[in-house]
Amino acid sequence: MRHRLRDPVTGLLFVLPVLVLFLIFRIFPSLGAAGMSLTNWNIGGEWEFIGADNYARLLDDVNFWLSLRVTIVYVVIYVPLTLLVALGTALLLNQVVFLRGLFRGMLFLPYVTSFVLAGIIWRWIYEFDGLINGLLAKADLGPVAFLEQSSVVLPALAVVSVWKGFGYSMLILLAGLKSIPSSYLEAARVDGASAWQRFRRITLPLLKPTIFFVVVIETISAFQTFDTVYVMTGGGPARATYTLIYGIYDHGFRSFDFGYAATWGMVLFAIVLIVSLVQRRFLDRGNT
């Protein structure tokens, strides 16, 4: 018995530091937020147990349903766009032989750039006298108020987030492409398959587990978007970018209604969990 337990105990000792950090900074705060959502908790640390009153209040909160709609629209725009850009750049990098590391580093650079700095740069790009409107003026097209017009502000923010974050998914997809045996593609090429046929019949099916992973992490990231909204729009115009995370920040750190903010957080957790399970059902199909 002691001999059989030696290896599991040894492995547990190696992962114990990370496990302790995970419990301290992930599990315990999540449990604390769940408990806080059942209370009326103020900035002074005083609290009163009110049960499910915060959840009943949330169901009647117009701002919550507005923020949920805004977040879903943002996710629908951001996730497919990120996947397309990341997959396209990964396919290109997979074909590059000369200076591959340089191109990979250049494309990954925005990911490690500060979101505040990226937001400031893109605010200038989107301004009336900025880069994009300058190009539109040369094409005899009127200026567009990207950050002041409710109909275009979410796509504009999604473009910024895609530019900032596609590099991580690109590297994951590139690793998935590298894991595909070259003999499969070579055999298809010998049999006369075109580049599109090789991609559709060989590359895409074998890349499906990696794509599933990228879709899940990018969906979770989209539901948690905050930096871009905070830096560039502040939830405006007319709450057109008032996402769920920004609502949590608004109630928690502006109104100091921590119990109600925790309620928003728990609902967001449930939404992300359900969406992830649905994605696993329809995208994964048990292959991952």
Side-chain angles (χ1 to χ4, degrees), residues 38-107:
L38 303 176
T39 66
N40 183 14
W41 196 299
N42 58 37
I43 190 174
E46 301 175 355
W47 61 276
E48 175 189 3
F49 182 79
I50 58 175
D53 289 355
N54 281 330
Y55 292 92
R57 173 185 169 189
L58 182 140
L59 293 176
D60 295 329
D61 192 343
V62 176
N63 289 330
F64 168 75
W65 297 109
L66 172 64
S67 67
L68 179 60
R69 180 182 63 81
V70 168
T71 303
I72 292 175
V73 172
Y74 179 84
V75 170
V76 170
I77 297 173
Y78 170 81
V79 175
L81 187 59
T82 300
L83 182 61
L84 288 175
V85 174
L87 182 58
T89 52
L91 290 170
L92 290 175
L93 282 177
N94 195 42
Q95 302 299 322
V96 172
V97 177
F98 183 68
L99 297 178
R100 178 184 300 170
L102 175 63
F103 290 118
R104 188 183 305 172
M106 292 174 59
L107 291 172

Side-chain angles (χ1 to χ4, degrees), residues 163-182:
W163 173 84
K164 175 69 173 64
F166 83 94
Y168 180 72
S169 297
M170 176 196 70
L171 290 184
I172 295 175
L173 291 168
L174 183 60
L177 289 172
K178 294 297 183 183
S179 67
I180 298 175
S182 59

Side-chain angles (χ1 to χ4, degrees), residues 80-268:
L81 187 59
T82 300
L83 182 61
L84 288 175
V85 174
L87 182 58
T89 52
L91 290 170
L92 290 175
L93 282 177
N94 195 42
Q95 302 299 322
V96 172
V97 177
F98 183 68
L99 297 178
R100 178 184 300 170
L102 175 63
F103 290 118
R104 188 183 305 172
M106 292 174 59
L107 291 172
F108 188 74
L109 185 61
Y111 182 78
V112 296
T113 304
S114 167
F115 236 127
V116 175
L117 178 60
I120 293 174
I121 293 173
W122 277 91
R123 278 190 65 89
W124 171 77
I125 293 175
Y126 282 143
E127 286 178 354
F128 278 103
D129 56 349
L131 177 62
I132 296 180
N133 279 317
L135 295 175
L136 292 176
K138 291 183 179 181
D140 294 329
L141 299 175
V144 179
F146 289 100
L147 301 181
E148 289 80 27
Q149 193 172 343
S150 299
S151 59
V152 298
V153 66
L154 273 181
L157 293 186
V159 169
V160 177
S161 297
V162 170
W163 173 84
K164 175 69 173 64
F166 83 94
Y168 180 72
S169 297
M170 176 196 70
L171 290 184
I172 295 175
L173 291 168
L174 183 60
L177 289 172
K178 294 297 183 183
S179 67
I180 298 175
S182 59
S183 58
Y184 294 174
L185 298 173
E186 185 62 29
R189 186 181 296 109
V190 171
D191 289 339
S194 63
W196 169 248
Q197 289 173 330
R198 294 196 300 270
F199 172 75
R200 181 184 176 187
R201 300 295 184 181
I202 299 176
T203 302
L204 196 58
L206 294 177
L207 200 61
K208 185 179 178 182
T210 308
I211 292 176
F212 166 72
F213 176 74
V214 167
V215 170
V216 170
I217 63 172
E218 291 296 352
T219 301
I220 294 174
S221 174
F223 271 104
Q224 295 177 342
T225 184
F226 173 76
D227 308 71
T228 312
V229 176
Y230 180 79
V231 173
M232 301 187 68
T233 63
R239 296 184 180 267
T241 59
Y242 195 82
T243 60
L244 286 171
I245 289 291
Y246 195 86
I248 294 173
Y249 162 78
D250 194 18
H251 287 289
F253 296 97
R254 286 185 174 179
S255 303
F256 302 111
D257 193 354
F258 294 111
Y260 191 52
T263 305
W264 280 54
M266 296 311 299
V267 172
L268 176 59

